[in-house]
Protein backbone atom coordinates (compact mmCIF):
# COMPACT_ATOMS: atom_id res chain seq x y z
CA UNK A 1 0.00 0.00 0.00
CA UNK A 2 1.39 3.39 -0.89
CA UNK A 3 1.24 6.59 1.06
CA UNK A 4 2.62 10.06 0.59
CA UNK A 5 4.31 12.56 2.79
CA UNK A 6 6.64 15.50 3.00
CA UNK A 7 10.26 15.82 4.04
CA UNK A 8 11.03 19.22 5.53
CA UNK A 9 14.74 19.91 5.87
CA UNK A 10 14.62 22.94 8.15
CA UNK A 11 18.35 23.58 8.25
CA UNK A 12 21.44 21.92 6.88
CA UNK A 13 24.98 23.20 6.35
CA UNK A 14 25.71 23.61 2.64
CA UNK A 15 28.23 20.76 2.68
CA UNK A 16 25.56 18.38 3.99
CA UNK A 17 22.95 19.19 1.30
CA UNK A 18 24.18 16.69 -1.34
CA UNK A 19 24.40 13.99 1.33
CA UNK A 20 20.77 14.62 2.28
CA UNK A 21 19.79 14.22 -1.38
CA UNK A 22 21.77 10.97 -1.68
CA UNK A 23 20.21 9.58 1.49
CA UNK A 24 16.68 10.41 0.32
CA UNK A 25 17.40 8.96 -3.12
CA UNK A 26 18.69 5.78 -1.50
CA UNK A 27 15.44 5.34 0.42
CA UNK A 28 13.15 6.22 -2.49
CA UNK A 29 15.15 4.36 -5.12
CA UNK A 30 15.16 7.28 -7.53
CA UNK A 31 17.28 10.34 -8.21
CA UNK A 32 16.38 13.31 -5.98
CA UNK A 33 17.22 16.97 -6.58
CA UNK A 34 16.02 19.21 -3.77
CA UNK A 35 15.45 22.91 -4.27
CA UNK A 36 17.60 24.52 -1.57
CA UNK A 37 17.08 28.06 -0.30
CA UNK A 38 18.82 29.96 2.48
CA UNK A 39 17.49 29.46 6.02
CA UNK A 40 17.20 32.91 7.61
CA UNK A 41 16.78 31.45 11.12
CA UNK A 42 20.32 30.01 10.99
CA UNK A 43 22.61 31.98 8.68
CA UNK A 44 24.90 29.71 6.70
CA UNK A 45 22.34 26.91 6.51
CA UNK A 46 19.88 25.86 3.83
CA UNK A 47 16.32 24.54 3.81
CA UNK A 48 14.20 22.47 1.45
CA UNK A 49 10.87 20.66 1.17
CA UNK A 50 10.21 17.50 -0.79
CA UNK A 51 6.90 15.71 -1.36
CA UNK A 52 7.35 11.97 -1.66
CA UNK A 53 5.25 8.91 -2.43
CA UNK A 54 6.16 5.42 -1.30
CA UNK A 55 5.27 2.31 0.61
CA UNK A 56 3.96 2.52 4.17
CA UNK A 57 7.04 2.79 6.39
CA UNK A 58 8.92 5.12 4.03
CA UNK A 59 8.78 7.96 6.56
CA UNK A 60 10.62 5.86 9.14
CA UNK A 61 13.23 4.88 6.55
CA UNK A 62 13.78 8.53 5.62
CA UNK A 63 14.07 9.55 9.27
CA UNK A 64 16.52 6.71 9.94
CA UNK A 65 18.64 7.68 6.94
CA UNK A 66 18.91 11.29 8.15
CA UNK A 67 19.07 10.95 11.93
CA UNK A 68 22.29 11.52 13.76
CA UNK A 69 23.77 14.02 11.30
CA UNK A 70 25.06 16.88 13.39
CA UNK A 71 23.52 20.29 12.61
CA UNK A 72 20.64 18.80 10.57
CA UNK A 73 17.08 19.76 11.53
CA UNK A 74 14.27 17.99 9.74
CA UNK A 75 10.75 16.63 9.89
CA UNK A 76 9.19 13.80 7.91
CA UNK A 77 5.46 13.25 7.70
CA UNK A 78 3.43 10.42 6.20
CA UNK A 79 -0.29 10.36 5.61
CA UNK A 80 -2.35 7.45 6.92
CA UNK A 81 -3.23 4.75 4.41
CA UNK A 82 -5.33 1.58 4.46
CA UNK A 83 -2.58 -0.43 6.16
CA UNK A 84 -0.88 2.13 8.41
CA UNK A 85 -1.51 5.16 10.58
CA UNK A 86 0.13 8.43 9.69
CA UNK A 87 3.50 9.35 11.15
CA UNK A 88 5.54 12.36 12.06
CA UNK A 89 9.26 12.40 12.80
CA UNK A 90 11.04 15.50 14.08
CA UNK A 91 14.78 15.74 14.62
CA UNK A 92 17.07 18.40 16.06
CA UNK A 93 20.77 18.28 16.95
CA UNK A 94 20.05 18.92 20.64
CA UNK A 95 16.99 16.73 21.17
CA UNK A 96 17.52 13.89 18.74
CA UNK A 97 14.52 12.26 17.11
CA UNK A 98 10.83 12.33 18.04
CA UNK A 99 8.24 9.99 16.57
CA UNK A 100 4.47 10.25 16.75
CA UNK A 101 1.65 8.29 15.23
CA UNK A 102 -0.93 10.58 13.64
CA UNK A 103 -4.58 10.09 12.82
CA UNK A 104 -6.44 11.07 9.67
CA UNK A 105 -6.77 14.68 10.82
CA UNK A 106 -3.12 15.03 11.84
CA UNK A 107 -3.71 14.63 15.57
CA UNK A 108 -1.00 12.85 17.55
CA UNK A 109 -2.21 9.48 18.84
CA UNK A 110 -0.49 8.48 22.06
CA UNK A 111 -0.51 4.74 22.82
CA UNK A 112 -2.13 3.69 26.09
CA UNK A 113 1.05 2.11 27.49
CA UNK A 114 2.99 5.36 27.04
CA UNK A 115 0.26 7.31 28.85
CA UNK A 116 0.22 4.75 31.68
CA UNK A 117 4.00 4.95 32.00
CA UNK A 118 3.85 8.77 32.15
CA UNK A 119 1.20 8.59 34.87
CA UNK A 120 3.24 6.08 36.86
CA UNK A 121 6.42 8.19 36.68
CA UNK A 122 4.41 11.20 37.80
CA UNK A 123 2.78 9.31 40.68
CA UNK A 124 6.19 8.12 41.87
CA UNK A 125 7.41 11.72 41.88
CA UNK A 126 10.03 11.01 39.23
CA UNK A 127 8.66 13.68 36.91
CA UNK A 128 5.90 16.19 36.43
CA UNK A 129 2.86 14.93 34.51
CA UNK A 130 2.65 18.10 32.44
CA UNK A 131 6.29 17.71 31.37
CA UNK A 132 5.71 14.05 30.48
CA UNK A 133 2.66 14.87 28.37
CA UNK A 134 4.55 17.70 26.72
CA UNK A 135 7.25 15.24 25.62
CA UNK A 136 4.67 12.71 24.40
CA UNK A 137 3.16 15.43 22.22
CA UNK A 138 6.57 16.54 20.90
CA UNK A 139 6.40 20.04 22.36
CA UNK A 140 10.16 20.39 22.98
CA UNK A 141 10.78 19.56 19.30
CA UNK A 142 8.02 21.93 18.16
CA UNK A 143 9.47 24.72 20.31
CA UNK A 144 12.95 24.24 18.85
CA UNK A 145 11.79 23.86 15.24
CA UNK A 146 9.19 26.62 15.14
CA UNK A 147 11.61 29.44 14.18
CA UNK A 148 12.86 27.24 11.32
CA UNK A 149 9.39 26.45 9.99
CA UNK A 150 8.54 29.96 8.90
CA UNK A 151 8.93 30.33 5.15
CA UNK A 152 11.78 32.62 4.28
CA UNK A 153 12.01 34.75 1.20
CA UNK A 154 11.65 32.55 -1.86
CA UNK A 155 10.37 29.53 0.06
CA UNK A 156 7.54 27.56 -1.50
CA UNK A 157 4.17 28.34 0.01
CA UNK A 158 1.58 25.62 0.56
CA UNK A 159 -1.97 26.92 0.55
CA UNK A 160 -4.20 24.92 2.85
CA UNK A 161 -7.93 24.98 2.34
CA UNK A 162 -10.26 24.31 5.24
CA UNK A 163 -12.88 21.69 4.55
CA UNK A 164 -15.95 21.94 6.74
Amino acid sequence: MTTRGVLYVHSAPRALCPHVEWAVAGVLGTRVNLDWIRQPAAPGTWRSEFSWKGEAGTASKLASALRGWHLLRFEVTAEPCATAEGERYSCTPDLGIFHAVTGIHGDILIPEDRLRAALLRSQRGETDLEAELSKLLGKPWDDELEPFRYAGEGAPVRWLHQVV
Side-chain angles (χ1 to χ4, degrees), residues 13 22 37 39 44 51 68 77 84 88 90 97 116 122 134 138 142 151 163:
W22 296 330
I37 61 170
Q39 171 53 272
S51 295
T77 63
R88 178 180 138 211
S90 302
I97 200 155
R116 289 185 189 280
S122 174
S134 178
D142 286 338
V163 177

Side-chain angles (χ1 to χ4, degrees), residues 15-38:
L16 197 54
C17 294
H19 298 284
V20 170
E21 291 180 1
W22 296 330
V24 173
V27 170
L28 299 178
T30 185
R31 186 180 167 126
V32 173
N33 290 312
L34 300 179
D35 292 324
W36 295 96
I37 61 170
R38 293 185 188 278

Side-chain angles (χ1 to χ4, degrees), residues 138-153:
K139 186 173 181 339
W141 287 264
D142 286 338
D143 290 346
E144 188 169 326
L145 290 173
E146 195 59 31
F148 296 89
R149 290 177 177 147
Y150 290 105
E153 184 177 331

